[in-house]
Amino acid sequence: MNQRTRCLLSVIIVSLVIILPSRTFAFTRLFYATNASTSIQSFITHADKVDIIAPQSYSFDINGTVRGEVPKQILDTARGKGVKVMPLITNGTFNAQIATRIMRNQRVQNYLILQLIVIAKREGFAGWQLDMENMNASHRERYSLFVEKAARAINAQGLQLSVAVVSQVSTIPADHPPHSWEDWAGVYDYARIGKAANFISVMAYDNGTAAGPTAPLPWVKQVLAHAKTLVPAEKISLGIPDYHWEWTVNRSFKISSGGYRYVSNLLAKQENPRGYNEKLGSQWVRFKTKRGDEHIVWYEDARSMGEKIKLAKDNNLAGFSVWVIGLEDPALWDTL
Protein backbone atom coordinates (compact mmCIF):
# COMPACT_ATOMS: atom_id res chain seq x y z
CA MET A 1 0.00 0.00 0.00
CA ASN A 2 1.56 3.28 -1.08
CA GLN A 3 1.68 6.51 0.89
CA ARG A 4 -1.11 8.14 -1.13
CA THR A 5 -3.47 5.19 -0.53
CA ARG A 6 -2.75 5.18 3.21
CA CYS A 7 -3.48 8.90 3.41
CA LEU A 8 -6.76 8.44 1.53
CA LEU A 9 -7.85 5.62 3.85
CA SER A 10 -7.03 7.75 6.88
CA VAL A 11 -9.19 10.57 5.56
CA ILE A 12 -12.10 8.16 4.92
CA ILE A 13 -11.85 6.64 8.42
CA VAL A 14 -11.75 10.05 10.09
CA SER A 15 -14.71 11.17 8.00
CA LEU A 16 -16.74 8.12 9.03
CA VAL A 17 -15.99 8.75 12.70
CA ILE A 18 -17.24 12.31 12.31
CA ILE A 19 -20.42 11.59 10.33
CA LEU A 20 -21.54 8.33 11.91
CA PRO A 21 -23.94 8.87 14.83
CA SER A 22 -22.42 8.17 18.22
CA ARG A 23 -25.68 6.58 19.37
CA THR A 24 -25.98 2.92 18.41
CA PHE A 25 -28.95 1.98 20.57
CA ALA A 26 -32.64 2.83 20.64
CA PHE A 27 -34.04 5.59 22.83
CA THR A 28 -36.48 3.68 25.01
CA ARG A 29 -39.79 5.16 26.17
CA LEU A 30 -40.81 3.44 29.39
CA PHE A 31 -44.10 4.23 31.10
CA TYR A 32 -45.14 2.92 34.48
CA ALA A 33 -48.73 1.80 34.92
CA THR A 34 -51.12 1.08 37.76
CA ASN A 35 -54.31 -0.95 37.92
CA ALA A 36 -56.40 2.25 37.73
CA SER A 37 -58.79 2.40 34.79
CA THR A 38 -57.32 5.75 33.67
CA SER A 39 -53.86 4.20 33.51
CA ILE A 40 -55.02 1.15 31.58
CA GLN A 41 -57.06 3.20 29.12
CA SER A 42 -54.23 5.62 28.41
CA PHE A 43 -51.93 2.71 27.59
CA ILE A 44 -54.52 1.13 25.30
CA THR A 45 -54.91 4.44 23.46
CA HIS A 46 -51.21 5.30 23.17
CA ALA A 47 -49.44 1.93 23.11
CA ASP A 48 -47.86 2.72 19.75
CA LYS A 49 -45.74 5.38 21.50
CA VAL A 50 -44.62 3.15 24.37
CA ASP A 51 -41.60 0.83 24.14
CA ILE A 52 -41.79 -0.69 27.62
CA ILE A 53 -44.83 -0.78 29.88
CA ALA A 54 -43.93 -1.31 33.53
CA PRO A 55 -47.03 -2.09 35.61
CA GLN A 56 -46.70 -1.82 39.38
CA SER A 57 -48.48 -5.14 39.73
CA TYR A 58 -46.26 -7.46 41.77
CA SER A 59 -44.79 -7.50 45.27
CA PHE A 60 -43.15 -9.99 47.58
CA ASP A 61 -43.69 -10.65 51.27
CA ILE A 62 -41.33 -11.31 54.15
CA ASN A 63 -40.86 -14.92 53.00
CA GLY A 64 -40.03 -13.90 49.45
CA THR A 65 -43.36 -15.10 48.08
CA VAL A 66 -44.36 -13.16 44.97
CA ARG A 67 -47.97 -12.12 44.45
CA GLY A 68 -49.78 -10.12 41.81
CA GLU A 69 -50.70 -10.07 38.15
CA VAL A 70 -50.68 -7.62 35.27
CA PRO A 71 -54.18 -6.49 34.23
CA LYS A 72 -55.36 -8.52 31.23
CA GLN A 73 -56.07 -5.41 29.16
CA ILE A 74 -52.47 -4.25 29.55
CA LEU A 75 -51.10 -7.67 28.62
CA ASP A 76 -53.38 -8.06 25.61
CA THR A 77 -52.58 -4.57 24.33
CA ALA A 78 -48.84 -5.03 24.84
CA ARG A 79 -48.83 -8.33 22.99
CA GLY A 80 -50.90 -6.93 20.16
CA LYS A 81 -48.72 -3.83 19.75
CA GLY A 82 -45.33 -5.44 20.38
CA VAL A 83 -44.69 -3.49 23.59
CA LYS A 84 -42.30 -5.09 26.07
CA VAL A 85 -43.77 -5.81 29.51
CA MET A 86 -41.43 -5.26 32.46
CA PRO A 87 -43.46 -5.26 35.68
CA LEU A 88 -42.24 -3.67 38.88
CA ILE A 89 -41.55 -5.97 41.79
CA THR A 90 -41.66 -4.20 45.16
CA ASN A 91 -41.01 -5.04 48.81
CA GLY A 92 -44.66 -5.14 49.75
CA THR A 93 -45.89 -1.57 49.90
CA PHE A 94 -42.25 -0.47 50.30
CA ASN A 95 -42.08 -2.21 53.65
CA ALA A 96 -38.78 -1.76 55.51
CA GLN A 97 -39.13 -5.03 57.47
CA ILE A 98 -39.60 -7.04 54.30
CA ALA A 99 -36.55 -5.39 52.73
CA THR A 100 -34.44 -6.19 55.81
CA ARG A 101 -35.45 -9.87 55.74
CA ILE A 102 -34.61 -10.15 52.05
CA MET A 103 -31.23 -8.51 52.50
CA ARG A 104 -30.22 -10.84 55.34
CA ASN A 105 -31.55 -14.19 54.15
CA GLN A 106 -29.91 -15.91 51.18
CA ARG A 107 -32.50 -18.68 51.05
CA VAL A 108 -35.34 -16.19 50.78
CA GLN A 109 -33.42 -14.31 48.09
CA ASN A 110 -32.97 -17.47 46.03
CA TYR A 111 -36.64 -18.36 46.34
CA LEU A 112 -37.65 -14.84 45.25
CA ILE A 113 -35.33 -14.86 42.22
CA LEU A 114 -36.55 -18.31 41.14
CA GLN A 115 -40.16 -17.12 41.19
CA LEU A 116 -39.31 -14.04 39.13
CA ILE A 117 -37.77 -16.24 36.44
CA VAL A 118 -40.67 -18.70 36.42
CA ILE A 119 -43.34 -15.99 36.27
CA ALA A 120 -41.55 -14.00 33.56
CA LYS A 121 -41.12 -17.09 31.38
CA ARG A 122 -44.73 -18.13 31.88
CA GLU A 123 -46.20 -14.70 31.17
CA GLY A 124 -43.82 -13.69 28.38
CA PHE A 125 -42.34 -10.69 30.21
CA ALA A 126 -39.17 -9.06 28.94
CA GLY A 127 -37.97 -9.06 32.53
CA TRP A 128 -38.51 -7.11 35.74
CA GLN A 129 -37.80 -3.76 37.30
CA LEU A 130 -36.73 -4.13 40.89
CA ASP A 131 -38.23 -1.27 42.88
CA MET A 132 -37.27 -1.73 46.50
CA GLU A 133 -37.67 1.42 48.59
CA ASN A 134 -37.70 2.62 52.20
CA MET A 135 -34.42 0.88 53.03
CA ASN A 136 -31.80 2.06 55.49
CA ALA A 137 -28.36 2.96 54.15
CA SER A 138 -26.87 0.24 56.36
CA HIS A 139 -28.14 -2.24 53.75
CA ARG A 140 -26.09 -0.63 50.95
CA GLU A 141 -23.62 -3.54 50.59
CA ARG A 142 -26.30 -6.21 50.98
CA TYR A 143 -28.57 -4.59 48.45
CA SER A 144 -25.80 -4.33 45.85
CA LEU A 145 -24.97 -8.01 46.35
CA PHE A 146 -28.64 -8.94 45.96
CA VAL A 147 -28.96 -6.96 42.71
CA GLU A 148 -25.80 -8.55 41.35
CA LYS A 149 -27.06 -12.04 42.19
CA ALA A 150 -30.53 -11.40 40.75
CA ALA A 151 -29.16 -9.88 37.56
CA ARG A 152 -26.84 -12.83 36.90
CA ALA A 153 -29.63 -15.37 37.36
CA ILE A 154 -32.25 -13.43 35.42
CA ASN A 155 -29.94 -12.49 32.54
CA ALA A 156 -28.83 -16.12 32.26
CA GLN A 157 -32.43 -16.97 31.35
CA GLY A 158 -32.53 -14.40 28.55
CA LEU A 159 -34.49 -11.91 30.66
CA GLN A 160 -33.67 -8.35 31.70
CA LEU A 161 -33.40 -6.82 35.14
CA SER A 162 -33.66 -3.07 35.54
CA VAL A 163 -33.58 -1.27 38.88
CA ALA A 164 -35.39 1.85 40.04
CA VAL A 165 -33.15 4.02 42.21
CA VAL A 166 -34.07 6.99 44.39
CA SER A 167 -32.59 10.35 43.36
CA GLN A 168 -29.19 11.40 44.67
CA VAL A 169 -27.25 14.61 44.01
CA SER A 170 -23.97 13.24 45.37
CA THR A 171 -22.62 10.55 47.68
CA ILE A 172 -22.30 13.06 50.52
CA PRO A 173 -25.11 12.62 53.08
CA ALA A 174 -25.07 16.32 54.03
CA ASP A 175 -25.99 17.28 50.45
CA HIS A 176 -29.42 15.73 50.96
CA PRO A 177 -32.39 16.75 53.15
CA PRO A 178 -32.10 15.73 56.84
CA HIS A 179 -32.24 11.93 57.33
CA SER A 180 -32.87 11.41 53.61
CA TRP A 181 -29.55 9.72 52.95
CA GLU A 182 -29.73 7.38 55.95
CA ASP A 183 -33.39 6.42 55.59
CA TRP A 184 -34.02 6.66 51.86
CA ALA A 185 -31.35 7.40 49.23
CA GLY A 186 -28.09 6.10 50.64
CA VAL A 187 -28.81 2.41 50.14
CA TYR A 188 -28.38 2.70 46.36
CA ASP A 189 -24.80 2.22 45.18
CA TYR A 190 -25.32 3.64 41.70
CA ALA A 191 -22.02 2.30 40.35
CA ARG A 192 -22.50 -1.31 41.40
CA ILE A 193 -26.22 -1.42 40.63
CA GLY A 194 -25.68 0.25 37.27
CA LYS A 195 -22.97 -2.25 36.35
CA ALA A 196 -25.08 -5.26 37.30
CA ALA A 197 -28.48 -4.21 35.89
CA ASN A 198 -29.41 -3.93 32.24
CA PHE A 199 -30.36 -0.32 33.02
CA ILE A 200 -31.42 1.83 35.95
CA SER A 201 -34.36 4.21 36.15
CA VAL A 202 -33.21 7.23 38.14
CA MET A 203 -36.25 8.69 39.87
CA ALA A 204 -35.49 12.37 39.27
CA TYR A 205 -38.58 13.55 41.07
CA ASP A 206 -39.93 14.40 44.49
CA ASN A 207 -37.34 17.06 45.18
CA GLY A 208 -37.40 17.51 48.94
CA THR A 209 -35.32 20.65 49.26
CA ALA A 210 -37.98 23.33 48.78
CA ALA A 211 -41.66 24.05 48.21
CA GLY A 212 -42.22 24.06 44.48
CA PRO A 213 -42.21 21.63 41.55
CA THR A 214 -41.69 17.95 42.16
CA ALA A 215 -38.87 17.97 39.60
CA PRO A 216 -37.38 21.44 39.04
CA LEU A 217 -35.11 21.36 36.01
CA PRO A 218 -31.88 22.58 37.73
CA TRP A 219 -32.26 19.86 40.36
CA VAL A 220 -32.99 17.21 37.71
CA LYS A 221 -29.79 18.23 35.92
CA GLN A 222 -27.89 17.90 39.19
CA VAL A 223 -29.31 14.40 39.79
CA LEU A 224 -28.43 13.36 36.24
CA ALA A 225 -24.92 14.81 36.40
CA HIS A 226 -24.24 12.79 39.55
CA ALA A 227 -25.64 9.58 38.04
CA LYS A 228 -23.47 9.97 34.94
CA THR A 229 -20.31 10.06 37.05
CA LEU A 230 -21.09 6.54 38.26
CA VAL A 231 -23.13 4.85 35.51
CA PRO A 232 -22.63 4.88 31.72
CA ALA A 233 -25.20 7.17 30.07
CA GLU A 234 -26.50 4.35 27.88
CA LYS A 235 -27.61 2.47 31.02
CA ILE A 236 -29.54 5.39 32.56
CA SER A 237 -33.25 5.96 32.02
CA LEU A 238 -34.31 9.39 33.30
CA GLY A 239 -37.29 9.16 35.63
CA ILE A 240 -39.84 11.87 34.80
CA PRO A 241 -43.03 12.67 36.77
CA ASP A 242 -46.29 13.69 35.14
CA TYR A 243 -48.12 14.66 38.32
CA HIS A 244 -48.52 17.93 40.21
CA TRP A 245 -47.82 19.20 43.69
CA GLU A 246 -50.21 21.65 45.34
CA TRP A 247 -48.97 23.98 48.09
CA THR A 248 -50.38 26.70 50.27
CA VAL A 249 -48.77 30.00 49.24
CA ASN A 250 -48.31 31.56 52.67
CA ARG A 251 -46.92 28.71 54.77
CA SER A 252 -45.75 26.31 52.07
CA PHE A 253 -47.77 23.32 53.26
CA LYS A 254 -48.10 20.51 50.73
CA ILE A 255 -51.79 19.92 50.11
CA SER A 256 -52.12 17.31 47.38
CA SER A 257 -50.67 15.53 44.40
CA GLY A 258 -52.42 14.32 41.29
CA GLY A 259 -52.83 14.30 37.54
CA TYR A 260 -53.43 16.75 34.74
CA ARG A 261 -57.22 16.45 34.83
CA TYR A 262 -57.30 18.34 38.13
CA VAL A 263 -55.01 21.02 36.69
CA SER A 264 -57.10 21.41 33.54
CA ASN A 265 -60.12 22.30 35.69
CA LEU A 266 -58.09 25.07 37.34
CA LEU A 267 -56.85 26.32 33.97
CA ALA A 268 -60.42 26.48 32.67
CA LYS A 269 -61.10 29.32 35.11
CA GLN A 270 -59.62 32.36 33.42
CA GLU A 271 -59.33 34.32 36.67
CA ASN A 272 -56.68 31.95 37.98
CA PRO A 273 -53.16 33.34 37.37
CA ARG A 274 -50.83 30.93 35.60
CA GLY A 275 -47.42 30.87 33.96
CA TYR A 276 -44.23 29.01 33.12
CA ASN A 277 -41.16 29.38 35.32
CA GLU A 278 -38.24 29.34 32.89
CA LYS A 279 -35.64 28.82 35.60
CA LEU A 280 -37.41 25.85 37.19
CA GLY A 281 -38.79 24.45 33.93
CA SER A 282 -42.28 24.03 35.37
CA GLN A 283 -45.82 25.29 34.87
CA TRP A 284 -47.83 26.81 37.70
CA VAL A 285 -51.35 28.02 38.39
CA ARG A 286 -52.71 29.84 41.46
CA PHE A 287 -56.23 29.82 42.82
CA LYS A 288 -58.20 30.68 45.93
CA THR A 289 -60.15 28.12 47.89
CA LYS A 290 -63.69 28.71 49.10
CA ARG A 291 -62.19 29.77 52.43
CA GLY A 292 -60.08 32.37 50.67
CA ASP A 293 -56.74 30.57 51.12
CA GLU A 294 -54.34 30.94 48.21
CA HIS A 295 -52.84 27.78 46.74
CA ILE A 296 -50.29 27.22 43.98
CA VAL A 297 -50.10 24.11 41.84
CA TRP A 298 -46.79 23.25 40.18
CA TYR A 299 -47.55 20.83 37.40
CA GLU A 300 -46.01 18.97 34.48
CA ASP A 301 -47.33 19.37 30.96
CA ALA A 302 -46.11 18.60 27.44
CA ARG A 303 -43.70 21.55 27.55
CA SER A 304 -42.06 20.83 30.91
CA MET A 305 -41.88 17.10 30.28
CA GLY A 306 -40.55 17.80 26.81
CA GLU A 307 -37.62 19.69 28.32
CA LYS A 308 -36.74 16.68 30.46
CA ILE A 309 -37.06 14.30 27.52
CA LYS A 310 -34.76 16.58 25.54
CA LEU A 311 -32.32 16.49 28.45
CA ALA A 312 -32.31 12.68 28.27
CA LYS A 313 -31.72 12.73 24.52
CA ASP A 314 -29.02 15.41 24.68
CA ASN A 315 -27.15 13.30 27.23
CA ASN A 316 -27.45 10.13 25.11
CA LEU A 317 -29.33 8.29 27.85
CA ALA A 318 -31.02 4.93 27.40
CA GLY A 319 -34.37 6.73 27.47
CA PHE A 320 -36.90 7.91 30.01
CA SER A 321 -39.23 6.35 32.59
CA VAL A 322 -42.49 8.25 33.21
CA TRP A 323 -44.52 7.84 36.41
CA VAL A 324 -47.32 7.21 35.64
CA ILE A 325 -49.34 6.69 32.46
CA GLY A 326 -52.86 8.03 32.89
CA LEU A 327 -51.94 11.23 34.75
CA GLU A 328 -50.25 12.97 31.82
CA ASP A 329 -51.15 16.06 29.83
CA PRO A 330 -52.83 14.60 26.68
CA ALA A 331 -50.70 16.93 24.55
CA LEU A 332 -47.61 14.96 25.60
CA TRP A 333 -48.41 12.23 23.10
CA ASP A 334 -48.19 14.64 20.18
CA THR A 335 -44.53 15.28 21.07
CA LEU A 336 -43.42 11.62 21.19
Short mmCIF file of all heavy atoms in Angstrom, two decimals, residues 18 77 144 156 169 177 183 197 200 236 241 254 258 273 292 294 328:
data_model
loop_
_atom_site.label_atom_id
_atom_site.label_comp_id
_atom_site.label_asym_id
_atom_site.label_seq_id
_atom_site.Cartn_x
_atom_site.Cartn_y
_atom_site.Cartn_z
N ILE A 18 -16.58 11.03 12.12
CA ILE A 18 -17.24 12.31 12.31
C ILE A 18 -18.72 12.24 11.95
O ILE A 18 -19.57 12.75 12.66
CB ILE A 18 -16.56 13.40 11.47
CG1 ILE A 18 -15.14 13.66 12.01
CG2 ILE A 18 -17.36 14.69 11.47
CD1 ILE A 18 -14.32 14.58 11.15
N THR A 77 -52.99 -5.70 25.15
CA THR A 77 -52.58 -4.57 24.33
C THR A 77 -51.08 -4.63 24.02
O THR A 77 -50.66 -4.41 22.88
CB THR A 77 -52.91 -3.24 25.03
OG1 THR A 77 -54.31 -3.18 25.28
CG2 THR A 77 -52.50 -2.05 24.17
N SER A 144 -26.60 -4.20 47.06
CA SER A 144 -25.80 -4.33 45.85
C SER A 144 -25.54 -5.81 45.53
O SER A 144 -25.63 -6.24 44.38
CB SER A 144 -24.47 -3.59 46.00
OG SER A 144 -24.67 -2.20 46.12
N ALA A 156 -29.20 -14.80 32.75
CA ALA A 156 -28.83 -16.12 32.26
C ALA A 156 -30.02 -16.83 31.60
O ALA A 156 -29.83 -17.74 30.79
CB ALA A 156 -28.28 -16.98 33.40
N VAL A 169 -28.00 13.52 44.65
CA VAL A 169 -27.25 14.61 44.01
C VAL A 169 -25.76 14.45 44.22
O VAL A 169 -24.95 15.14 43.59
CB VAL A 169 -27.71 15.99 44.51
CG1 VAL A 169 -29.16 16.25 44.13
CG2 VAL A 169 -27.52 16.12 46.01
N PRO A 177 -31.56 16.30 52.02
CA PRO A 177 -32.39 16.75 53.15
C PRO A 177 -32.12 15.91 54.39
O PRO A 177 -31.65 14.76 54.28
CB PRO A 177 -33.83 16.54 52.64
CG PRO A 177 -33.71 16.61 51.15
CD PRO A 177 -32.38 16.00 50.83
N ASP A 183 -32.12 7.15 55.59
CA ASP A 183 -33.39 6.42 55.59
C ASP A 183 -33.97 6.16 54.21
O ASP A 183 -34.96 5.44 54.09
CB ASP A 183 -34.43 7.19 56.42
CG ASP A 183 -34.03 7.33 57.87
OD1 ASP A 183 -33.27 6.47 58.35
OD2 ASP A 183 -34.47 8.30 58.52
N ALA A 197 -27.16 -4.24 36.54
CA ALA A 197 -28.48 -4.21 35.89
C ALA A 197 -28.34 -3.92 34.40
O ALA A 197 -27.34 -3.37 33.94
CB ALA A 197 -29.36 -3.17 36.55
N ILE A 200 -30.78 1.33 34.74
CA ILE A 200 -31.42 1.83 35.95
C ILE A 200 -32.34 2.99 35.59
O ILE A 200 -32.05 3.76 34.68
CB ILE A 200 -30.39 2.28 37.01
CG1 ILE A 200 -29.57 3.49 36.52
CG2 ILE A 200 -29.47 1.14 37.40
CD1 ILE A 200 -28.70 4.11 37.61
N ILE A 236 -28.70 4.55 31.70
CA ILE A 236 -29.54 5.39 32.56
C ILE A 236 -30.83 5.76 31.84
O ILE A 236 -30.82 6.28 30.72
CB ILE A 236 -28.81 6.69 32.95
CG1 ILE A 236 -27.54 6.39 33.74
CG2 ILE A 236 -29.74 7.60 33.77
CD1 ILE A 236 -26.68 7.63 34.00
N PRO A 241 -41.66 12.71 36.23
CA PRO A 241 -43.03 12.67 36.77
C PRO A 241 -44.01 13.36 35.82
O PRO A 241 -43.62 14.25 35.07
CB PRO A 241 -42.89 13.47 38.06
CG PRO A 241 -41.86 14.52 37.72
CD PRO A 241 -40.88 13.84 36.79
N LYS A 254 -47.70 21.32 51.88
CA LYS A 254 -48.10 20.51 50.73
C LYS A 254 -49.52 20.00 50.96
O LYS A 254 -49.82 19.41 51.99
CB LYS A 254 -47.13 19.35 50.52
CG LYS A 254 -47.33 18.63 49.18
CD LYS A 254 -46.51 17.35 49.11
CE LYS A 254 -45.04 17.63 49.23
NZ LYS A 254 -44.22 16.41 49.14
N GLY A 258 -51.49 14.97 42.20
CA GLY A 258 -52.42 14.32 41.29
C GLY A 258 -52.10 14.58 39.84
O GLY A 258 -51.02 15.05 39.50
N PRO A 273 -54.46 33.01 37.97
CA PRO A 273 -53.16 33.34 37.37
C PRO A 273 -52.38 32.07 37.07
O PRO A 273 -52.44 31.10 37.81
CB PRO A 273 -52.47 34.18 38.44
CG PRO A 273 -53.55 34.59 39.38
CD PRO A 273 -54.59 33.53 39.34
N GLY A 292 -60.89 31.21 50.97
CA GLY A 292 -60.08 32.37 50.67
C GLY A 292 -58.59 32.14 50.77
O GLY A 292 -57.78 33.07 50.60
N GLU A 294 -54.96 30.99 49.53
CA GLU A 294 -54.34 30.94 48.21
C GLU A 294 -53.43 29.72 48.11
O GLU A 294 -52.57 29.48 48.95
CB GLU A 294 -53.54 32.22 47.94
CG GLU A 294 -53.09 32.32 46.49
CD GLU A 294 -52.49 33.69 46.16
OE1 GLU A 294 -52.14 34.42 47.10
OE2 GLU A 294 -52.36 33.99 44.96
N GLU A 328 -50.96 12.02 32.66
CA GLU A 328 -50.25 12.97 31.82
C GLU A 328 -51.16 13.98 31.12
O GLU A 328 -52.36 13.77 30.95
CB GLU A 328 -49.45 12.21 30.74
CG GLU A 328 -50.30 11.57 29.64
CD GLU A 328 -50.94 10.27 30.02
OE1 GLU A 328 -50.61 9.70 31.09
OE2 GLU A 328 -51.80 9.77 29.26
#
